[in-house]
Amino acid sequence: MAEDITNRGTMVADGAKRMTKVVVVESTHWHAPLYYGALRKREDVRVVGVSDSARLTGEEVARQFGCTAYASTPEMLDRERPDFAFVFGRHVDMPALAAALIERRIPFAIEKPCGLRAADVLALRQRAEAAGLYVAVPLIFRLSDTLAILRQAGGALEHGSFRFIAGPPQRYLRAGVPWMLDPALAGGGPLINLGVHFIDLFALLANEPIVSVSAGASSRMNGLPIEDVISVRLLTAGGRLGTIECGYLFPSDAALQRDFEFACRLERSYCVSREDGILVRRWQEDGSIASQRIPARFETDLYYPEFVRRVLDESASGAAPIAGLADAQRALGVVEAAYRSAAQGGVPVDPRNFDA
């Protein structure tokens, strides 16, 4: 049943500042701890509940915040009546978790991919838009030095090539999320987990609809039902081309967690990742080439505290989210198209076919 939200807000009747009540939904997720430090630093925020149906981390997280742990998210929402929620959980469960918040008119941020299918995210988007509800998605490269530098380099993306090879899938077993290795629960492997960020980055920079996706994938190394590695080719309506390669193959440790490289040709420059930043080479009016190395932070975990701060401020002020369900829907449509293409031997697939 939809909740009357007139008693929620950031101000009380006497004009004094009121604490924003926040809940953490499904804390057994490897990204959830990236949010906690920023939540603790907010003097205007109080975490009032933590849900964890897996019963693995909720009690400890609740103890750290001095709040109540719940096994049931709906029970927590009804008892705590929060002002904002940060939603994690299994990919298969995300649509139901989001629907519970939309029904109660609670603004929230939800981890990507927000569901298994683009059509599921479209349904959430339509409901949230009809309710006028703030919903943000951490497509984290939108806050990155990488995007800022590429935009400053000038012009739309003509061609982009991105490679992101993370550590082996056994790390998800150690993190207490074995469902990440089950495509029925996770939707797939590294593409739906990691590749969505680069689909979004390509779409932002190209600024044109992606109309054709082709892909090849392999599962032979890890022997799991999800892909070990996948290579995806994207083509826009105007002929802009992108390639994305992602996988669970890198021998990672605390010192070095992944292999990440990219190269982008924009209208007026060519940008290449380097270990310490981005090399930008620009054509000058006299035909000469100017070359510049710009420092950049490629460790994406660094941007989650800023995401927390930003979405809380956006939601309170009535601003639009830095990324929302429409962006997640677009990325997930490309993911579905890529998996369909890979299953059919690499034939091109139109990602717009997966919106309904």
Side-chain angles (χ1 to χ4, degrees), residues 5 8 82-86 101 104-109 133-136 315:
I5 62 169
R8 289 208 305 259
D83 302 304
F84 197 89
F86 288 94
L101 288 154
R104 292 165 174 81
R105 305 297 192 266
I106 301 169
F108 62 98
L133 195 66
Y134 177 95
V135 182
S315 177

Side-chain angles (χ1 to χ4, degrees), residues 27-34 54 56-57 88-91 94 111-113 164-183 185-198 222 224-229 246-250 252 257-258 299-301 304 339:
S27 61
T28 298
H29 187 287
W30 63 101
H31 278 174
L34 301 176
L56 294 176
T57 62
F88 304 96
R90 304 186 307 177
H91 298 169
M94 287 178 171
E111 264 290 340
K112 49 75 187 167
F164 194 97
I165 309 297
Q170 289 75 20
R171 62 201 176 105
Y172 293 110
L173 300 178
R174 295 192 296 271
V177 287
W179 57 266
M180 277 294 291
L181 311 185
D182 183 348
L185 303 177
L191 183 62
I192 196 170
N193 181 31
L194 308 172
V196 289
H197 292 297
F198 305 103
N222 293 319
L224 295 169
I226 59 169
E227 75 273 15
D228 303 323
V229 64
C246 52
Y248 293 153
L249 303 174
F250 189 72
S252 60
Q257 297 186 34
R258 60 188 67 89
E299 176 50 69
T300 53
D301 289 0
Y304 283 90
Y339 284 146

Side-chain angles (χ1 to χ4, degrees), residues 8 41 70 129 153 191 227 242 272 297 312 330-331 334 355:
R8 289 208 305 259
K41 289 180 181 179
Y70 294 86
E129 289 177 351
L191 183 62
E227 75 273 15
V272 187
R297 298 166 297 168
L312 288 170
R330 177 178 60 191
V334 173
D355 284 345

